[in-house]
Amino acid sequence: DYYASRGLGDVYKRQIQISLSNINLRAAYHVTSPDNGQFVFTTDQGKTYKIGFIQDYMISDDGVYQFFINTEDEFKTAPDKRVRQTVMVVLEEFFRQKEVVLDYICDTGDNRQAARSRIFNSWFRLFANQNLFTLRPMSVKAEGIEFFAAVVLRNDNPRFSNIIDAIQQFEKQIKDKLQ
């Protein structure tokens, strides 16, 4: 099992516990967790994905984690629904803890951030119980580049109202800085 924290040398307020054994009971692909704190799986087509959570302080001082998913493999593969299912099982395990908040910021390096945002939002809407979660997508345009992100939290999060207020303030600050 894996415990996510902010990073080396940081004193952190909250650890998240993610059970690798629970993930592998339901994931379409076998997931491993090397010592670097990432979750890794390889598809039948040979593409390796890395998933992880890094504590983030943009919205709140505690319990917010930035989600990342990446691959270093440059080759294209056919769409694989089992990738989506495996990623969503990892996210479901993350959200077993109702106090956590997830933020997802789409990479802009190859100008495919809009597609990444659509994919993440559609995956989440497809798999997540809409009565249990709030998905808050956002986008901001700066210097000709559109940035996409999403924040997800459980509706029974004890800090729900405070988090939503913090998200709204953060969005306003970003938009004000860019105008």
Side-chain angles (χ1 to χ4, degrees):
D1 290 355
Y2 163 69
Y3 295 85
S5 67
R6 287 198 305 212
L8 297 174
D10 286 348
V11 176
Y12 51 91
K13 296 179 185 177
R14 181 186 314 274
Q15 279 189 332
I16 55 172
Q17 184 176 1
I18 299 175
S19 170
L20 189 59
S21 56
N22 283 351
I23 289 170
N24 280 316
L25 286 174
R26 299 184 340 258
Y29 286 112
H30 180 75
V31 179
T32 61
S33 183
D35 290 338
N36 62 6
Q38 297 178 6
F39 297 94
V40 180
F41 65 94
T42 302
T43 68
D44 291 338
Q45 298 169 355
K47 193 163 200 163
T48 300
Y49 288 88
K50 298 176 184 176
I51 303 170
F53 304 91
I54 302 167
Q55 192 146 14
D56 190 344
Y57 300 97
M58 287 190 298
I59 297 169
S60 173
D61 289 341
D62 189 27
V64 178
Y65 294 85
Q66 188 176 123
F67 168 72
F68 67 86
I69 177 172
N70 61 42
T71 182
E72 295 174 7
D73 302 323
E74 297 295 326
F75 61 92
K76 296 213 181 238
T77 59
D80 183 347
K81 291 181 181 179
R82 295 185 309 158
V83 169
R84 173 181 63 196
Q85 192 272 347
T86 301
V87 170
M88 293 312 298
V89 166
V90 173
L91 289 176
E92 286 172 2
E93 184 63 22
F94 171 83
F95 277 112
R96 283 186 28 179
Q97 298 152 105
K98 68 180 178 182
E99 300 87 13
V100 295
V101 177
L102 178 131
D103 69 32
Y104 175 66
I105 301 169
C106 299
D107 179 28
T108 60
D110 59 0
N111 210 25
R112 296 188 59 223
Q113 61 271 24
R116 286 185 182 90
S117 178
R118 281 191 306 273
I119 289 169
F120 178 81
N121 294 342
S122 70
W123 283 9
F124 204 86
R125 287 186 178 111
L126 179 67
F127 276 88
N129 177 339
Q130 299 305 307
N131 296 323
L132 185 60
F133 295 100
T134 292
L135 168 68
R136 176 122 185 181
M138 51 185 126
S139 67
V140 175
K141 193 166 192 170
E143 299 177 9
I145 298 173
E146 192 159 11
F147 296 88
F148 293 87
V151 176
V152 182
L153 66 157
R154 286 177 52 149
N155 292 336
D156 62 350
N157 185 316
R159 300 177 303 136
F160 183 88
S161 295
N162 293 342
I163 298 281
I164 294 297
D165 289 346
I167 292 167
Q168 290 170 340
Q169 287 178 330
F170 179 73
E171 286 176 318
K172 184 179 181 326
Q173 288 172 354
I174 295 294
K175 288 178 180 176
D176 288 348
K177 284 183 182 181
L178 298 174
Q179 293 178 349

